Amino acid sequence: MTENQQSHKELLPHLFRQEYAKMTAVLCRHFGLKHVEIAEDIVSDTFLKASENWAINGIPKNPTAWLYTVAKNKTKDYFKHIVVFETQIKEVIKPNEFDIEQDFEFSSQNIADSQLAMIFAVCSPSNSTESQICLALQILCSFSVEEIANAFLTKPETIKKRLQRARTNLRNDSFQIKILNEKETKLRLNSVLKTLYLLFNEGYFSKTNNQLIRQELCSEAVRLTLMLTENNFTNTPQTNALLALMCFQSSRLEARTNDQGEAVLFDEQNKNLWDKTLIEKGNYYLVNACNGNEISKYHLEAGIAYWHTTPTDQDKWQHILQLYNQLILIEYSPITALNRTFAYAKVYGHNNAIHEAEKLKLEESNYYHKLLGYLYVDIDINKAIFHYTQAIGLTKSKIEKQSLSKEIERISEKNNSR
């Protein structure tokens, strides 16, 4: 295999993750495609052509621009073929209903506008809230079925069925990207915020890749949420609270992993690596989020993230625990319950926290066993090793398996040296 062949095979998967959803959104918006699948097929064909062309001719100077140009030309050709139009897409595309803008540029602003417009279009009331979010994660965020299943803590088969029904409903509902009025925008905003929240979470702690952090997903979620704060219809307290949460969490990304890509526990993080600018932005948006009487899960999670980034305070973990107590009442999830137990350990000690954790009965969760392993380290080494071993068996992440194995080695050596 030549060096050029190797490089293009490494570059294309990266570009696919970065650009596929953006290209799909722009094509749907500017060419008036009513079936998302048509745009997806064109973009997929573009990447197929790239794999063939670049293997022979080498990677172009600007590969991203090359992809956008080919996708644009393929879409134009799609409309030019009369036979194809008459036999395959006459009922799919009705140009008279749209102002098809065939001459446009793939500028950063154009792409961002198209993505936001697409998210709101996909979050149609014709589907359930969960289906809206699943579809948006797949189409706009390029999430795999497995990634969506992990986000919803459910089985891939359930997600596949949900996506199939959602796509069918969109087609039957005459899907199109259009300018929404204030009422329609506010009706769909909660689903959009949940989509961006899950997008950020997958980047902040990836469950399906051999890397614990996917910064590109975090950055994309922040960028799109920031755009929502710049629109009068979507600049709500919830939106600002979500953006504050993302800023606080993003400020610690560099400190959350070591040079080997392994997780670094909060207590062991190098605070000099925390991004103070992002912390200040988080403070700014959290203040904006308090403009009113609304308290959402994003407000509470942003408050928790705020206390994590503040200097050591005697009552810091007490504040965090109180916020977790409120969060569980608003929206319970196993992850929230486990995070609350960690905070509980900081306030009431590991022995008491072990009893709290065991009440949850989350034996099938690697996070559950990872937490119990951590809590037992200074109490019962054998039980700590047992739970860390259970966590290794339940996680899919190679990096996390390595990190947990090293922790078992560390505490075993510590125990043997006593």
Side-chain angles (χ1 to χ4, degrees):
M1 183 179 289
T2 66
E3 182 179 345
N4 183 64
Q5 287 175 322
Q6 180 66 33
S7 60
H8 100 267
K9 290 193 175 208
E10 292 174 349
L11 178 61
L12 269 174
H14 170 74
L15 288 174
F16 186 87
R17 289 191 299 271
Q18 290 284 323
E19 308 299 336
Y20 179 89
K22 297 176 184 177
M23 292 165 69
T24 300
V26 175
L27 294 183
C28 280
R29 182 180 179 218
H30 286 275
F31 287 96
L33 297 176
K34 289 177 65 178
H35 283 199
V36 177
E37 290 85 352
I38 295 174
E40 291 175 324
D41 287 344
I42 291 172
V43 176
S44 296
D45 194 40
T46 298
F47 277 93
L48 177 61
K49 182 174 181 178
S51 68
E52 297 169 347
N53 184 288
W54 297 1
I56 299 171
N57 302 317
I59 299 173
K61 290 183 178 180
N62 190 334
T64 303
W66 188 97
L67 289 169
Y68 283 121
T69 300
V70 170
K72 179 178 177 179
N73 291 335
K74 279 183 174 293
T75 312
K76 287 183 176 181
D77 290 341
Y78 187 79
F79 283 97
K80 291 178 182 176
H81 290 81
I82 304 299
V83 175
V84 176
F85 180 86
E86 290 293 331
T87 59
Q88 296 183 27
I89 62 173
K90 187 172 182 179
E91 296 303 317
V92 175
I93 300 174
K94 299 177 181 178
N96 291 335
E97 294 182 9
F98 304 97
D99 180 17
I100 299 174
E101 187 182 339
Q102 295 198 11
D103 291 319
F104 65 93
E105 297 300 324
F106 282 94
S107 65
S108 298
Q109 187 62 47
N110 189 357
I111 292 170
D113 289 346
S114 297
Q115 279 186 284
L116 269 183
M118 184 75 156
I119 290 178
F120 277 94
V122 167
C123 291
S124 167
S126 63
N127 284 312
S128 67
T129 301
E130 286 191 340
S131 295
Q132 292 172 31
I133 296 167
C134 286
L135 202 55
L137 286 171
Q138 185 186 59
I139 295 174
L140 273 300
C141 308
S142 299
F143 272 36
S144 66
V145 170
E146 184 182 9
E147 287 171 325
I148 299 172
N150 283 330
F152 278 91
L153 302 176
T154 190
K155 296 179 180 178
E157 293 75 18
T158 302
I159 296 300
K160 284 181 182 178
K161 292 178 182 177
R162 193 176 292 171
L163 288 168
Q164 289 172 353
R165 288 195 298 268
R167 284 178 176 270
T168 299
N169 288 341
L170 275 191
R171 285 195 294 270
N172 295 339
D173 196 43
S174 299
F175 168 81
Q176 58 180 282
I177 295 179
K178 60 183 181 180
I179 298 174
L180 301 177
N181 58 38
E182 183 176 3
K183 182 179 178 181
E184 290 175 315
T185 300
K186 289 186 175 180
L187 183 64
R188 303 182 185 195
L189 182 58
N190 283 340
S191 295
V192 172
L193 293 178
K194 184 67 177 291
T195 300
L196 297 177
Y197 173 81
L198 293 175
L199 171 62
F200 184 88
N201 279 358
E202 175 59 25
Y204 189 73
F205 192 87
S206 179
K207 307 175 191 68
T208 50
N209 282 264
N210 292 325
Q211 54 185 124
L212 290 178
I213 295 174
R214 298 167 67 183
Q215 290 202 24
E216 76 280 4
L217 295 186
C218 293
S219 297
E220 188 68 4
V222 170
R223 183 179 67 83
L224 292 172
T225 309
L226 179 61
M227 288 189 65
L228 292 178
T229 65
E230 296 168 351
N231 182 290
N232 290 334
F233 292 163
T234 55
N235 184 27
T236 66
Q238 274 202 71
T239 303
N240 280 272
L242 177 57
L243 186 54
L245 169 63
M246 291 178 179
C247 288
F248 286 134
Q249 299 289 60
S250 296
S251 71
R252 295 191 291 113
L253 286 178
E254 294 296 331
R256 288 188 61 239
T257 55
N258 59 22
D259 294 337
Q260 289 73 47
E262 298 166 342
V264 177
L265 294 175
F266 176 80
D267 291 342
E268 299 172 4
Q269 289 177 13
N270 181 356
K271 294 179 175 57
N272 292 326
L273 295 177
W274 291 2
D275 189 322
K276 294 180 176 57
T277 301
L278 280 172
I279 293 174
E280 289 173 0
K281 288 183 178 179
N283 290 331
Y284 170 80
Y285 289 111
L286 186 56
V287 170
N288 288 349
C290 296
N291 183 21
N293 298 320
E294 181 180 15
I295 298 179
S296 67
K297 63 169 288 183
Y298 305 125
H299 285 80
L300 296 174
E301 290 197 35
I304 291 168
Y306 160 79
W307 280 110
H308 275 86
T309 56
T310 54
T312 303
D313 181 278
Q314 185 177 355
D315 298 322
K316 175 177 182 172
W317 286 103
Q318 184 68 50
H319 292 306
I320 291 174
L321 179 59
Q322 289 174 358
L323 289 168
Y324 269 123
N325 289 339
Q326 294 179 62
L327 181 58
I328 280 182
L329 293 176
I330 288 180
E331 184 176 297
Y332 176 87
S333 76
I335 296 298
T336 300
L338 290 170
N339 287 338
R340 175 195 171 273
T341 305
F342 180 83
Y344 191 92
K346 292 291 186 180
V347 177
Y348 297 110
H350 287 204
N351 268 315
N352 291 321
I354 288 170
H355 295 304
E356 285 292 304
E358 290 175 343
K359 289 178 186 176
L360 300 175
K361 297 181 179 180
L362 297 170
E363 288 83 1
E364 299 303 313
S365 167
N366 66 300
Y367 303 117
Y368 171 79
H369 290 287
K370 186 176 178 180
L371 174 62
L372 280 173
Y374 165 78
L375 295 175
Y376 268 117
V377 164
D378 295 323
I379 298 172
D380 188 326
I381 291 288
N382 291 328
K383 285 188 176 181
I385 292 174
F386 168 79
H387 284 292
Y388 278 138
T389 303
Q390 292 292 103
I392 290 173
L394 290 168
T395 184
K396 297 178 182 178
S397 168
K398 290 182 181 179
I399 292 291
E400 192 170 10
K401 286 178 185 289
Q402 292 171 6
S403 178
L404 290 169
S405 296
K406 284 186 178 181
E407 181 62 14
I408 290 175
E409 290 177 12
R410 186 189 70 80
I411 61 177
S412 295
E413 290 175 1
K414 180 181 177 182
N415 188 46
N416 293 335
S417 64
R418 288 177 178 174

